[in-house]
Amino acid sequence: MRLHPTRCFDNAAHDYATLTVRPLSAAMGAEVIGVNLATLTDAQFAEIRHALFRHRMIYLRNQVGVGHAEHAAFSLRFGPFAEDAYTNGIEGYPAVQPLIREADDTSDMVFGEGWHSDSPFLPQPPAITILRAVQIPPFGGDTTFANTGLAYQTLSEGYRALIHPLRIHFSLRDVLASAQAAVTPSDSPIGKLAATRNAAELPIDLKRKVGGAFHPLVRTHPVTGGKSLYIDPSYGIGIEGFLAEEAAPIMGYLNAHLLQPAFSCRLRWEPDMVTIWDNRLCVHQAYNDYAGHRREMYRTTVAGEIPQ
Ligand code: SIN
């Protein structure tokens, strides 16, 4: 099924008192204009939060003055930091995760390159992710997003009823296998996974992530009450109680349905841009298409609930 989002989702801007919103695509995403995250008032924060839940992903340009401290403080306004599944943060800011790819890095895998929701293999996956750009390539290095609520709404009543009771198995298994097969520097998040390629046994923490977690395939947003598909082709490996060959057509169909271009938007980064997305409302994908150029980003994640 290939659909366009008309009538199923309204990405129009709401009227806000303290900021302006400019929608990105019909399916999702919006630019927030007129605020700086380093000097945010409570009223501005409340409207940013509202805009995030409405548009699924929002971004702010020209966030000059937002460094690691301001980034971390802004993140904490949404709630405590989530467990970070990949890095140990940077000196002085353990919750600020560096995502840096050097110009001479010719790895055949970059962090976040398959469509995914952040760390769904954890029992309580991060709710929200905040990514700040310091240096971006002259072209490439974009991030695309897809609206999981819109994908759910455009399924037939019959298919929705079929998938409602199902629980999906999320695991680091396939991403770990891809990293172990990749050529990549050892100090990158993917490099740390790749370094386990010859280990007789995986470290206990990695075993836990490969074991993964079972979550509802249709999840309900704890604030808006909206329903979304909870699936992605990177970490979703099965359905509870189903044989692999039984789960594959359901997951294949849902991933293809979710990832059709009509449900997506593509973000072109700029230095000093900060982007915020809600992992309960969208999936995203980075691209390995800027070898020869440096990309420097920093990420925080906000703790989420057990998905319901
Ligand atoms: C991520 O998957 O969190 C990173 C996305 C990106 O680097 O564009």
Side-chain angles (χ1 to χ4, degrees):
M1 182 161 45
R2 289 289 176 267
L3 296 165
H4 287 268
T6 328
R7 281 177 282 122
C8 285
F9 179 67
D10 179 9
N11 202 35
H14 185 87
D15 271 339
Y16 292 109
T18 68
L19 49 83
T20 304
V21 160
R22 187 187 292 152
L24 179 59
S25 81
M28 65 171 295
E31 179 177 1
V32 170
I33 302 160
V35 289
N36 185 288
L37 299 180
T39 56
L40 209 57
T41 64
D42 288 345
Q44 287 172 327
F45 176 71
E47 294 199 330
I48 284 187
R49 191 169 170 273
H50 183 278
L52 172 63
F53 297 155
R54 180 174 176 82
H55 300 285
R56 284 46 175 153
M57 178 279 287
I58 55 173
Y59 57 98
L60 300 92
R61 298 177 205 263
N62 302 322
Q63 293 303 297
V64 177
V66 177
H68 299 320
E70 293 77 14
H71 181 168
F74 172 64
S75 188
L76 283 169
R77 292 179 93 141
F78 284 101
F81 296 119
E83 171 184 351
D84 177 26
Y86 284 99
T87 81
N88 297 320
I90 54 173
E91 208 181 331
Y93 300 96
V96 177
Q97 307 146 27
L99 300 183
I100 301 171
R101 184 178 159 128
E102 299 297 344
D104 61 359
D105 177 348
T106 53
S107 309
D108 40 21
M109 184 170 174
V110 293
F111 184 81
E113 81 176 37
W115 280 103
H116 65 285
S117 157
D118 284 329
S119 305
F121 47 81
L122 297 175
Q124 280 186 242
I128 292 166
T129 302
I130 302 165
L131 189 59
R132 181 171 76 89
V134 171
Q135 189 175 358
I136 56 125
F139 57 89
D142 298 352
T143 308
T144 44
F145 296 84
N147 183 338
T148 51
L150 180 53
Y152 171 75
Q153 282 160 34
T154 46
L155 291 170
S156 67
E157 245 176 69
Y159 207 89
R160 278 192 247 170
L162 179 84
I163 63 172
H164 253 264
L166 303 183
R167 286 164 65 79
I168 180 160
H169 184 194
F170 286 113
S171 160
L172 190 62
R173 182 192 71 189
D174 295 349
V175 170
L176 176 65
S178 302
Q180 287 174 338
V183 176
T184 184
S186 58
D187 58 348
S188 69
I190 294 297
K192 289 190 183 114
L193 294 182
T196 64
R197 64 170 67 87
N198 296 321
E201 208 182 347
L202 287 178
I204 185 99
D205 187 47
L206 220 43
K207 267 195 196 161
R208 179 174 68 95
K209 291 166 189 164
V210 170
F214 290 84
H215 295 308
L217 182 51
V218 177
R219 74 181 292 184
T220 305
H221 195 276
V223 179
T224 67
K227 294 202 183 313
S228 298
L229 287 181
Y230 197 29
I231 189 166
D232 72 49
S234 299
Y235 298 125
I237 64 162
I239 297 176
E240 192 172 53
F242 281 55
L243 297 173
E245 59 268 32
E246 293 168 340
I250 300 176
M251 296 174 66
Y253 172 70
L254 288 175
N255 279 321
H257 173 69
L258 166 61
L259 301 175
Q260 58 186 295
F263 298 160
S264 74
C265 68
R266 184 166 182 134
L267 181 70
R268 171 82 189 116
W269 289 93
E270 294 171 11
D272 296 320
M273 182 182 273
V274 175
T275 297
I276 308 150
W277 64 84
D278 189 326
N279 289 293
R280 302 162 297 191
L281 299 171
C282 64
V283 289
H284 60 282
Q285 177 185 39
Y287 290 87
N288 186 4
D289 61 356
Y290 54 93
H293 302 286
R294 189 168 191 275
R295 187 177 188 260
E296 178 179 352
M297 317 286 276
Y298 295 93
R299 190 176 99 138
T300 59
T301 53
V302 179
E305 60 290 328
I306 295 173
Q308 303 292 328

